């Protein structure tokens, strides 16, 4: 039991409250639009703690919510056959990034996180939807997997370029939700292995991450309720604007 609360005791009341609020918000965003939990968590927690600490906290909430998203829909077998090269290369890219870059604690890594978030925001707000030809998939999928892995190993953000790529495949709504869940699950597990290898994911961090699952799940359930009552397009636009301001703060802070 001490292991569960050890990290929060070290963080203190204020930062522990920030963790709870962050995962409530991150879960809510994921419940409404189907993605964004690691992005919101890394962005907000990155304001007050080291990126490695923030990444360790999100491992269990991200894994559980992504697996939940992955198994719902009934298209898993076909998606695995289609997307396994990309998933494999996410592991390769994360391994290379962990060995080459790591997730440092200096201002350069904070700015890298801000840069990754800003790229995600700009692509979401201004780029038209991609249309990826089937003949490009055999090489473009693995390439996007490697780049996604390298970026996530340095910043804890899984969305660039995986999300625009998956959105460009012409999948139906259920397939896209499952494909995103698959990609995020792979990225989370690969990141967890990288953090463990670097000694940043031990019993204390896993216990703290387990407790962070509670507000994340509550936020996700509220987000799913909210999704039925507001425009998802409006919510997504407000989300991108807020994340853009956060990214700019990380870049210039």
């Amino acid at each position: 039991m001490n292991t569960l609360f050890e990290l929060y005791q070290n963080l203190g009341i204020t930062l522990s409250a920030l963790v709870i609020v962050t995962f409530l918000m991150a879960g809510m965003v994921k419940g409404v639009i189907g993605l964004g939990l690691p992005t919101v968590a890394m962005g907000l927690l990155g304001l007050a703690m080291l990126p490695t600490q923030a990444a360790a906290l999100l491992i269990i909430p991200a894994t559980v919510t992504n697996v939940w998203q992955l198994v719902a829909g009934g298209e898993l077998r076909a998606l695995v056959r289609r997307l396994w090269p990309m998933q494999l290369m996410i592991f390769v890219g994360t391994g290379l990034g962990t060995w080459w870059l790591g997730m440092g604690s200096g201002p350069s890594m904070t700015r890298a996180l801000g840069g990754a978030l800003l790229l995600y925001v700009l692509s979401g707000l201004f780029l038209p939807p991609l249309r990826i030809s089937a003949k490009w998939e055999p090489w473009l999928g693995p390439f996007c997997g490697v780049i996604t892995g390298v970026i996530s190993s340095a910043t804890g953000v899984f969305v660039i370029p995986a999300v625009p790529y998956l959105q460009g495949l012409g999948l139906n709504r259920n397939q896209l939700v499952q494909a995103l869940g698959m990609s995020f699950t792979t990225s989370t597990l690969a990141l967890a292995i990288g953090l463990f290898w670097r000694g940043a994911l031990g019993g204390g961090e896993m216990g703290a991450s387990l407790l962070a699952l509670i507000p994340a799940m509550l936020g996700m359930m509220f987000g799913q309720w909210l999704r039925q009552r507001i425009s998802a397009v409006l919510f997504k636009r407000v989300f991108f604007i807020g994340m853009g301001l956060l990214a700019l703060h990380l870049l210039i802070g």
Side-chain angles (χ1 to χ4, degrees), residues 66-249:
N66 288 331
V67 168
W68 183 355
Q69 181 175 333
L70 170 63
V71 298
E75 304 278 356
L76 182 57
R77 183 173 298 180
L79 288 172
V80 169
R81 287 199 299 266
R82 183 174 182 179
L83 299 176
W84 73 263
M86 177 187 180
Q87 307 309 306
L88 176 62
M89 296 311 290
I90 287 175
F91 267 100
V92 172
T94 304
L96 290 174
T98 300
W99 171 74
W100 178 36
L101 297 172
M103 191 178 293
S105 59
S108 61
M109 286 298 100
T110 300
R111 292 191 178 96
L113 174 58
L117 290 178
L118 188 59
L119 281 174
Y120 173 52
V121 168
L122 292 176
S123 66
L125 283 176
F126 300 113
L127 290 184
L130 296 176
R131 291 292 181 266
I132 296 173
S133 171
K135 66 182 179 180
W136 295 355
E137 287 188 49
W139 64 267
L140 187 57
F143 176 76
C144 288
V146 169
I147 301 302
T148 299
V150 171
I151 291 175
S152 67
S153 71
T155 67
V157 175
F158 312 146
V159 293
I160 297 294
V163 170
Y165 171 77
L166 292 173
Q167 289 173 333
L169 293 181
L171 303 172
N172 64 42
R173 181 182 179 90
N174 288 336
Q175 289 174 330
L176 178 60
V177 168
Q178 279 194 284
L180 290 171
M182 181 189 303
S183 179
F184 296 156
T185 299
T186 302
S187 295
T188 304
L189 294 176
L191 179 63
I193 293 171
L195 290 171
F196 179 79
W197 182 74
R198 295 183 67 86
L201 188 62
E205 289 81 9
M206 289 298 289
S209 183
L210 180 60
L211 288 179
L213 176 63
I214 298 172
M217 293 299 292
L218 290 174
M220 187 172 178
M221 287 186 288
F222 176 72
Q224 291 173 333
W225 174 85
L226 188 62
R227 181 171 56 192
Q228 309 303 320
R229 289 160 176 80
I230 67 169
S231 165
V233 173
L234 175 61
F235 185 91
K236 187 177 291 188
R237 187 173 296 125
V238 173
F239 164 70
F240 278 130
I241 292 172
M243 292 305 297
L245 294 174
L246 179 60
L248 290 174
H249 178 81

